[in-house]
Structures are given as C-alpha cells and as structure tokens.
C-alpha cells in the first residue's frame, strides 16, 4: 500500500476528528474520538486482504508473509519475513518450508500452540460450565482446570516439536501430568507440581485426546456427562463428519433424576423419533462408549446409583467397539480420515475462511503425501503452507 493510499484510507477518520474539533474546540477529545473509530474499524479488528477485482490470484510476497505470520505467530511479519518479501524470494516452496521451521522454533509460535488447539479442540470452552464446587472440591483445590488444559497443550506442542505422527493425538501411549492431575487420573509415582511425561498402560484408557480431562470436562455440563455432546465432538473434531443441527421442534434428552432409567435407555427412546435417528445412530455409540469417564474425567465403572456402565457401541456401518480404547481403534482404522479432518481444521485456521470445493485438491494431496511419509505433524503444516490455497486468494 502506497503512502497516498494509506492517507486516503485515513481521510474519513481525520475528517471525523476535525469536525468534532470544530464543534467542541477540544483537541484531545477530538483526537480520542478519531482514534476510537480507527480501533473499532474492520481494518483494525480483522486481517484484510484487499483485492480490487476479487478474482482468484496468487498472493504477492508481502501478502504471503502476512498470511504466514498470522498463521503461526498471530502477529505481523518480522524483519526476516519482510526482507524475503522485499527481494521476492519468499514464495518458493523451499523458502516457505525453511521459514515454517524457523517460525515454529521461535517463542512467538506459542500463539499457534494455544490458539489453534483452542479453536480446533474447543479448549476455549473449558471452564464455561464449571463443576459444582461443593461436590468437586479437589477440582478447585488442585487447580485441575489449568492442569487439564496444560496436559493437552503440552501434547500438542510435543507432537509439533518432534514432528511425531498426527495419529498420536488418537493413541499416544504417554501424557504430561503434574502431581495433582496424576492423582485425579489414578496415575502413581508423580508427586511434584512440575509437569512430566509419563508412560500410560492400555488399561488406563488415557492415551490421546479422548482420555484428556480437558476434553472430557468441556464435553460435560459441570454436573453430569453429556454423551450426545461427546459424540458430536468426536465426529466434528476427529472424524470431520459433523451431524446436522437438530430440528427445532425436538426436545433434548433429559436425565432421569430418579435413576430409574440409564442414559443409554433414555437415548434409545430418543432415537425412536424418526427425525433424530439418522444423526443419533452415529452420535450415540461414540458418546456412550465414553461413559466410563465422568463429568470431570475421572474413570468409573458404575453410575452413582451403582448400576454398571455399558460402554459398548455399534456404528451404522456395523463397526463395533467397547469403551474409549475401542473408539481409538475405530479412528486408527481410518488414519486418512483423521488426517483429512485435522488438515481441514489447519487450513481453515490458516486461511481465515471456510473451505470451498476448489480447496479439495490441496486437501487430497496433503493427506496422500502425509500417508506416504508417516503423518508427521510439522510436515502436515509445511504442506498446508506450500499449498496453492495458502499461496493464493
């Protein structure tokens, strides 16, 4: 943008301040009014990529530097990116890959490791429906909400730094806990406030995101589990097949406070409604298979009324599983589907827009190439950055 075009963009704000100055004679009040208008403008609140003819075209190097920087740093480009843009060398795939490594190794990448999981996994929602303090004293005394969030972010950061397979989001045989979270999970030999990596046993049911307290808590309502919400979370965030919104005239499943019916029985009755069955036959098996974890992620085998939990499920395609480990196996049998889901989430975050049909070719290539090279997480990000969709608008 030239200085003349920048001045033209500011003209209306200058005029606003000038008019107020003529009315009041107060220079500072008039200046503050103009500044408030600038800060509240779309150009200030959003990253705007101007295009006069609105046609599909390649980004120039400065636009590419801006998109890359806001993707990985949530901030404006640094001197190195601007220098590469100025000499016209940023757009090559080799240079973009080098910059991804440099930027992800910089502390500014903490913005990506916090903001993207917040959007993809819904971690921003953790704490919106907090557990009842009277019945969950340790949750607050041990600051478990913060510890749960840290566990998930540390796994994310570890996979990113080490370029481990994205499938470890599903079945990692380790996690990161401090003493308080370890006690909450029933993991022994951790007695420090510092987070440390610990090995998990298959019977723990904790491997990967599905065993994280953060996910199990944010998909509950602070009082009890919500199998429907959990099932939708898996379909949307791990499988990339979100169900349609429910019809407006259908009531949600209400818990039986007397304990006469189990949640499984209530949900089966709900599925007798024809308009509900099409989606719930995909949602319910997954949500019910996660019932061994309560509303704050503690493992259990029975409900409060001592009735045993049945964590079995069967999907519409005939696939059967039992408990969270069964869901993991179901996901691992579909590695490309999970990778496609994650890639689409990354691409949406990177581009700042919904994906379109024209983006499908890029997604297909990224998934195919990732399968050939072991699904490395950092490699997936590099392929997103070097895609045509990322380098054009």
């Amino acid at each position: 943008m030239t200085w003349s075009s920048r001045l033209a963009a500011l003209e209306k704000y200058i005029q606003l301040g000038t008019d107020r100055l003529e009315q009041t004679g107060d220079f500072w009040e008039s200046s503050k009014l103009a500044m408030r208008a600038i800060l509240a403008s779309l150009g200030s609140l959003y990253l705007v990529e101007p295009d006069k003819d609105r046609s599909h075209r390649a980004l120039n190097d400065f636009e590419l530097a801006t998109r890359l920087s806001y993707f990985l740093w949530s901030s404006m480009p640094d001197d190195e990116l601007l220098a590469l843009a100025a000499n016209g060398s940023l757009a090559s795939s080799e240079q973009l890959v080098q910059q991804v490594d440099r930027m992800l190794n910089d502390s500014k990448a903490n913005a990506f490791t916090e903001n993207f999981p917040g959007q993809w996994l819904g971690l921003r929602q953790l704490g919106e429906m907090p557990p009842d303090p009277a019945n969950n004293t340790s949750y607050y005394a041990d600051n478990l909400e913060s510890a749960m969030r840290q566990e998930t972010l540390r796994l994310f950061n570890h996979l990113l730094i080490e370029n481990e397979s994205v499938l470890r989001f599903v079945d990692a045989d380790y996690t990161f806990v401090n003493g308080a979270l370890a006690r909450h999970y029933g993991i022994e030999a951790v007695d420090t406030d510092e987070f440390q990596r610990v090995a998990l046993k298959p019977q723990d049911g904790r491997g990967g995101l599905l065993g994280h307290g953060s996910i199990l808590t944010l998909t509950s309502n602070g009082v009890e589990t919500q199998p429907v919400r959990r099932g939708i979370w898996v379909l949307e965030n791990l499988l990339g097949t979100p169900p349609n919104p429910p019809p407006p005239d259908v009531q949600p499943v209400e818990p039986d406070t007397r304990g006469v019916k189990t949640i499984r029985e209530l949900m089966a009755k709900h599925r007798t409604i024809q308009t509900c069955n099409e989606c719930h036959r995909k949602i319910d098996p997954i949500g019910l298979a996660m019932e061994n974890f309560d509303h704050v992620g503690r493992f259990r085998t029975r409900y409060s009324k001592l009735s045993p939990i049945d964590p079995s499920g069967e999907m519409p395609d005939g696939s059967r599983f039992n408990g969270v480990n069964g869901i993991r196996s179901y996901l691992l049998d579909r590695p490309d589907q999970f990778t496609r889901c994650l890639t689409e989430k990354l691409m949406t975050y990177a581009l700042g827009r919904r994906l379109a049909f024209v983006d499908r070719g890029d997604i297909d290539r990224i998934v195919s190439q990732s399968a050939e090279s072991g699904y490395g997480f950092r490699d997936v990000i590099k392929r997103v950055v070097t895609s045509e969709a990322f380098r054009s608008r």
Side-chain angles (χ1 to χ4, degrees):
M1 181 180 289
T2 64
W3 282 111
S4 59
S5 61
R6 291 177 180 175
L7 185 59
L10 291 173
E11 186 63 38
K12 58 184 176 182
Y13 303 108
I14 296 173
Q15 189 62 50
L16 177 66
T18 301
D19 292 345
R20 178 57 64 91
L21 180 61
E22 291 177 353
Q23 294 170 4
T24 65
D26 188 328
F27 173 80
W28 291 113
E29 194 277 334
S30 303
S31 300
K32 289 178 182 178
L33 175 65
M35 184 60 69
R36 287 198 299 269
I38 291 173
L39 294 176
S41 68
L42 292 179
S44 178
L45 295 173
Y46 298 96
L47 176 61
V48 179
E49 295 178 342
D51 193 351
K52 292 181 180 179
D53 58 11
R54 301 293 181 184
S55 61
H56 180 80
R57 64 169 176 82
L59 297 178
N60 64 44
D61 283 61
F62 286 101
E63 291 171 328
L64 187 57
T66 299
R67 177 172 285 183
L68 180 60
S69 185
Y70 276 92
F71 174 32
L72 300 181
W73 285 349
S74 297
S75 184
M76 62 188 296
D78 66 353
D79 290 342
E80 182 166 335
L81 283 174
L82 292 175
L84 291 170
N87 65 33
S89 62
L90 179 61
S92 72
S93 295
E94 294 78 8
Q95 186 61 252
L96 284 172
V97 166
Q98 291 179 23
Q99 289 304 306
V100 168
D101 278 328
R102 178 182 75 87
M103 296 172 72
L104 288 179
N105 292 336
D106 192 286
S107 62
K108 294 179 184 178
N110 290 338
F112 174 70
T113 60
E114 291 184 11
N115 293 336
F116 176 66
Q119 178 172 304
W120 167 37
L121 303 175
L123 281 183
R124 296 167 182 166
Q125 301 169 18
L126 184 61
E128 289 184 359
M129 302 185 74
D132 175 16
N135 297 317
N136 300 272
T137 54
S138 64
Y139 184 87
Y140 297 95
D142 292 335
N143 197 17
L144 289 179
E145 180 181 308
S146 176
M148 290 174 178
R149 181 179 287 106
Q150 280 297 311
E151 175 189 23
T152 303
L153 294 178
R154 284 171 183 266
L155 174 65
F156 182 95
N157 194 50
H158 173 76
L159 299 184
L160 182 64
I161 291 174
E162 301 298 329
N163 194 29
E164 287 202 24
S165 168
V166 297
L167 300 180
R168 298 293 81 80
F169 282 118
V170 177
D171 73 337
D173 59 358
Y174 56 85
T175 192
F176 299 85
V177 294
N178 61 2
L181 191 57
R183 289 193 299 272
H184 186 67
Y185 287 170
I187 297 175
E188 299 178 352
V190 179
D191 55 3
T192 173
D193 291 336
E194 300 297 322
F195 276 81
Q196 57 185 277
R197 174 173 168 168
V198 297
L200 296 171
K201 302 174 183 176
Q203 60 266 32
D204 293 333
R206 292 289 175 186
L209 295 172
L210 293 178
H212 282 204
S214 60
I215 306 304
L216 297 164
T217 301
L218 70 85
T219 53
S220 300
N221 65 7
V223 178
E224 60 197 0
T225 59
Q226 293 189 301
V228 171
R229 188 175 179 185
R230 286 179 171 179
I232 292 173
W233 186 91
V234 172
L235 290 174
E236 181 172 353
N237 297 305
L238 303 186
L239 286 168
T241 56
N244 295 323
D249 57 340
V250 175
Q251 296 298 316
V253 179
E254 295 293 340
D256 180 5
T257 56
R258 298 173 299 166
V260 176
K261 293 181 179 294
T262 65
I263 186 65
R264 180 178 288 272
E265 292 171 324
L266 290 169
M267 293 172 72
K269 182 178 179 180
H270 194 68
R271 286 196 301 274
T272 61
I273 303 173
Q274 187 60 37
T275 53
C276 299
N277 185 58
E278 180 60 30
C279 288
H280 277 270
R281 65 196 186 104
K282 306 172 189 175
I283 298 170
D284 295 358
I286 296 174
L288 290 169
M290 299 174 70
E291 278 292 273
N292 279 133
F293 293 104
D294 70 7
H295 64 289
V296 289
R298 288 175 298 221
F299 186 82
R300 60 186 182 176
T301 58
R302 292 180 174 272
Y303 292 107
S304 58
K305 299 293 183 179
L306 300 182
S307 57
I309 293 172
D310 176 8
S312 62
E314 181 177 353
M315 297 296 281
D317 63 2
S319 299
R320 296 185 178 185
F321 42 71
N322 190 58
V324 169
N325 284 338
I327 302 175
R328 291 192 183 94
S329 297
Y330 180 82
L331 291 167
L332 292 176
D333 286 340
R334 297 157 178 79
D336 285 358
Q337 185 172 352
F338 172 77
T339 305
R340 176 177 297 274
C341 177
L342 175 57
T343 301
E344 289 176 349
K345 300 290 185 180
L346 279 166
M347 191 76 82
T348 299
Y349 180 86
L351 301 180
R353 63 167 173 81
R354 293 181 180 180
L355 299 185
F357 180 80
V358 294
D359 302 316
R360 182 176 297 179
D362 279 320
I363 301 295
D364 289 343
R365 281 189 291 274
I366 292 170
V367 174
S368 176
Q369 292 168 3
S370 297
E372 295 171 358
S373 60
Y375 299 103
F377 188 21
R378 185 176 289 218
D379 292 338
V380 172
I381 293 173
K382 291 176 181 177
R383 293 185 179 105
V384 168
V385 168
T386 56
S387 68
E388 181 182 355
F390 188 87
R391 294 196 275 191
S392 61
R393 59 156 301 149

